[in-house]
Amino acid sequence: KNQVEQSPQSLIILEGKNCTLQCNYTVSPFSNLRWYKQDTGRGPVSLTIMTFSENTKSNGRYTATLDADTKQSSLHITASQLSDSASYICVVSANVGNNRKLIWGLGTSLAVNP
Amino acid sequence: GAVVSQHPSWVICKSGTSVKIECRSLDFQATTMFWYRQFPKQSLMLMATSNEGSKATYEQGVEKDKFLINHASLTLSTLTVTSAHPEDSSFYICSAPRAGGNTIYFGEGSWLTVV
């Protein structure tokens, strides 16, 4: 069964601190893995897209890692800011026939406090 | 700026009426668009895949007669919630993949409240 599990479910950190969010998946056949940031009441915004051969990809203060062997990914946020408070969602894409299917994690709710 | 636009951003309607939500790709053509529903503190749930020029593909458990999808052009897909009920109140989001790449753009979402 294709599944994406994220941990922790929620996280509270102080402004300026770093944090790491985890994503484990059991999706086959794997196409790519995406991290999205979703502010409350807004549409998701893409942070990174990683294919099978990519191990690390950065986007500003966001760094995503991918271990295709263990089927794990992480999103590391450096020097957090208040605006980083949001839900971070891991999405794994599988190519099923001619269709691309997205399997969504439930997200990690991050709160950055001053 | 936004490359996928949704309208309206929020709407309140009476129970039993129908509501139409539009999803437009602004600077690219989208042969496929996706419609999601999101309840509070839950992840996005795919409702259906909208295909330009053909019928939409609905996910299991989603009533196609209740959630009418029309993909009339390469830049516009509409979702009509028919005979809306309070339990249909939710956040509806569309997305469109840009052809030839992995990028999927999301709309800003539409809040529907049925009273």
Side-chain angles (χ1 to χ4, degrees):
Chain A
K1 182 179 179 181
N2 289 330
Q3 282 187 316
V4 175
E5 295 183 349
Q6 291 187 242
S7 61
Q9 184 176 3
S10 62
L11 182 62
I12 301 174
I13 61 174
L14 293 176
E15 185 180 12
K17 297 297 184 182
N18 304 334
C19 67
T20 301
L21 314 179
Q22 300 290 341
C23 173
N24 297 336
Y25 63 92
T26 55
V27 175
S28 181
F30 176 86
S31 176
N32 56 62
L33 185 145
R34 310 160 188 262
W35 282 95
Y36 285 95
K37 176 187 179 185
Q38 185 180 22
D39 293 310
T40 301
R42 307 288 295 274
V45 174
S46 179
L47 297 176
T48 64
I49 302 173
M50 301 182 73
T51 59
F52 186 87
S53 60
E54 296 177 299
N55 299 121
T56 303
K57 181 170 280 190
S58 293
N59 177 4
R61 294 181 296 103
Y62 301 104
T63 299
T65 65
L66 175 64
D67 186 331
D69 291 330
T70 61
K71 297 187 177 180
Q72 296 180 327
S73 176
S74 67
L75 180 69
H76 186 74
I77 303 175
T78 305
S80 61
Q81 300 176 358
L82 298 179
S83 59
D84 292 333
S85 297
S87 179
Y88 292 83
I89 309 171
C90 175
V91 186
V92 180
S93 178
N95 286 328
V96 181
N98 294 323
N99 299 316
R100 178 190 302 165
K101 189 173 182 68
L102 298 180
I103 296 91
W104 292 74
L106 294 180
T108 293
S109 178
L110 174 65
V112 180
N113 291 340
Chain B
V3 295
V4 173
S5 174
Q6 270 186 251
H7 177 81
S9 299
W10 57 271
V11 58
I12 301 174
C13 71
K14 290 184 177 181
S15 185
T17 62
S18 295
V19 174
K20 180 185 288 187
I21 301 171
E22 295 185 347
C23 180
R24 294 181 185 273
S25 56
L26 299 182
D27 64 351
F28 66 98
Q29 294 181 333
T31 56
T32 301
M33 290 185 178
F34 301 95
W35 286 97
Y36 294 86
R37 180 166 54 183
Q38 185 177 32
F39 293 106
K41 298 185 178 181
Q42 295 187 23
S43 191
L44 279 70
M45 183 178 69
L46 179 65
M47 298 176 65
T49 302
S50 172
N51 304 300
E52 189 271 335
S54 64
K55 292 182 179 180
T57 304
Y58 290 81
E59 295 299 301
Q60 190 173 11
V62 178
E63 300 175 57
K64 62 180 180 180
D65 295 329
K66 179 168 182 63
F67 299 99
L68 301 179
I69 291 174
N70 186 321
H71 198 142
S73 76
L74 288 171
T75 59
L76 173 65
S77 175
T78 61
L79 168 68
T80 301
V81 182
T82 63
S83 187
H85 291 286
E87 56 264 32
D88 298 324
S89 298
S90 185
F91 189 51
Y92 293 86
I93 307 175
C94 71
S95 71
R98 188 188 289 267
N102 282 323
T103 305
I104 299 177
Y105 298 98
F106 284 83
E108 284 295 322
S110 300
W111 285 100
L112 170 63
T113 301
V114 184
V115 298

